Amino acid sequence: MFKHSSFRVRLALWFGGLSLFTLLSVGIYAGWITANQMKINAGEAVHAQAVAAAELLGANLHEREIEIILLSQAPHFVRGDLTSPDILASLERRRTLRSEFAWLGVADATGTVVQASNNMLVGQSVAQRPWFIAGLKDVYSGDVHEALLLAKLLPNTHTDEPLRFIDFAAPIRTGDGKVIGVVAAHAHWNWVTSTVQSIINRRNNDSETQILIVSNSGNVLYPQTLAGVSELPTKLPLTKNYSIAMWDDGHRYLTSQVLVDADSTTNFGWRIVVRQPLENALAPVYAMYARFLVLALIAVILFSLLAWRLAQSVSKPIEQLAAAAHCIKHNTSAPRYPTDTSLSEVAQLSNAMQSMTESLLTRERELELLNQTLEQQVLQRTDALAVANKQLEHLATTDPLTGINNRRRFDEKLVDYVQMGKRTGRGFSILLLDADHFKKVNDNYGHPVGDAVLQQIARLITSQTRATDFVARYGGEEFVVILPNAPSAAEVMTVAEKIRSAIESASFPEIGKMTMSIGSSYWHPEEINATDVIQRADEALYNAKASGRNRVVAYEQLK
């Protein structure tokens, strides 16, 4: 093939072929590594979303069950008079505060509904309902189901699917342990679905990523479009964080499933399944391959041109020497040497080598300058990444509306204070604050005014607390304050009263006056469960609300 080709042609072809082979080999290997790493990163991200959704759903289900338990143990429930107006007020208040509850009611021991939110089902018998039968014996949480009787009384805002509910029930016992009835609640199924869907909406920009709720028997409960249509892959492990599985639609997905642990009396056996199309996860790799091929072709052309010029600079003196030798041999004309002076063949080759060396040194200096430029760019990108990470950490721990710490940061801080308290033997106090009649603000003045009220409340709370105190938005119109270093009851009451008085005295644009109910509780170092102090503060807050609002109640005063 190269029998009669020139040196410069051979060198250009060899350089071009070698550079193409090297670039393709490195590119394919780097792409393979990158694709594997991206699959791992995407799989771990899918698993993290499944874990977050399962934990959030489990925590919310457990909280709703705890609410029903606390409601059944409230003083005006256990007195024995299920027709008391205080019971209906509690049901209506809880229904107002918790929009996920479609219905709350109290049935006597015979199964007749005595009182209920919005007077729904009052006077009707629920004796054959599973929640009532189980609720007479113990706390009960029921799996998702359709409630045809209740669905007729409620508006269906989700017309594309039937109304479905989850039941919570607990027995009402008098002081001597006698069961006099059952308090129960039906929670909207769309509250469950919106809870898990919020994880995907916050964490994933890929619209093809889906989150599914799967029953213990393997049936898809959510989304409704897949219920009874889609089936889970037969080999979907629970022991691995994620896997690549072929689904019944013929596509491969990065898939992760996590069991929902609600820590409740009834184990639903639900699983959270998150799946992302594999081709979506690897889309950046395919784009990188396309860009790399273009760059490889450009590099091959440049290497070939460079080789051509290099071969020309080497072969020309040799050709001139060969021509000179030919002229001498045949004596056809005067020989022409590569230089103007009469030099020997060795001197001419030496000069050529010197020229090549200078060219290589020039390229080496250019490469050093290029390396310095690249190192500087890497440092700049590293600094920018550090700033971005810091901003992300701030966004993850700060409530976007009020600018104070959010619920996630509070949960982390609570664990830190508990660990510190166990090491030092010093406890801390919790203030749980709730804006009185805040729903009326949103209903009468709109959510922008309500948001402004929450922002002003956050500023007032922060201004009335100490530098060592921790202030966070607990959720909705609820705020929480941690008072560290084992404060005395008088100190806790002083801080709480300062906050309450400041809010009562403040003037809020458009609405005028606002008040705040506050419950407090103390955490002792010998306690094991950190959430107990929150439940006690919540019970004290509930007492403050029930006692007329705009007051501070310490849990220790309720004993």
Side-chain angles (χ1 to χ4, degrees), residues 451-474:
D451 290 346
V453 169
L454 292 177
Q455 291 169 346
Q456 185 173 350
I457 288 176
R459 291 193 296 269
L460 289 170
I461 294 174
T462 303
S463 67
Q464 299 302 317
T465 52
R466 303 167 300 183
T468 57
D469 298 335
F470 178 83
V471 180
R473 185 182 179 190
Y474 194 67

Side-chain angles (χ1 to χ4, degrees), residues 62 65 69 138-141 169 262-268:
H62 182 58
E65 183 178 270
I69 294 174
D138 202 349
V139 180
Y140 170 78
S141 298
D263 193 21
S264 63
T265 56
T266 303
N267 184 12
F268 296 144

Side-chain angles (χ1 to χ4, degrees), residues 4 10 59 90 108 219 232 247 367 374 377 398 408 454 547:
H4 301 292
R10 292 187 181 187
S90 294
D108 60 20
N219 296 322
L232 271 66
W247 284 65
L367 288 175
L374 290 176
Q377 291 178 352
T398 303
R408 173 186 173 186
L454 292 177
S547 301

Side-chain angles (χ1 to χ4, degrees), residues 37-54 196 199-200 203-206 208-212 236-237 240-245 247 252-258 272-278 280-282:
Q37 188 60 48
M38 292 193 70
K39 282 192 287 187
I40 293 173
N41 294 341
E44 291 297 339
V46 166
H47 178 65
Q49 292 167 13
V51 170
V196 298
I199 296 296
I200 295 297
R203 296 190 175 198
N204 201 304
N205 294 325
D206 183 5
E208 298 297 324
T209 299
Q210 285 185 306
I211 187 166
L212 291 76
L236 196 61
K240 294 175 61 177
N241 288 357
Y242 68 93
S243 61
I244 299 175
W247 284 65
R252 299 173 69 199
Y253 291 83
L254 281 170
T255 308
S256 177
Q257 67 169 340
V258 178
I272 295 297
V273 178
V274 178
R275 67 178 190 177
Q276 181 186 23
L278 185 60
N280 289 29
L282 297 182

Side-chain angles (χ1 to χ4, degrees), residues 6 69-70 99 109 121 156 165 169 178 208 230 261 267 271 307 337 342 357 366 378 392-393 435 451 501-502 512 530:
S6 65
I69 294 174
L70 294 176
S99 59
L121 304 182
N156 187 0
F165 307 92
K178 179 182 178 182
E208 298 297 324
S230 181
D261 181 11
N267 184 12
R271 288 172 285 165
Y337 295 98
S342 301
T357 302
E366 291 175 351
V378 169
L392 287 175
E393 177 65 21
D451 290 346
S501 178

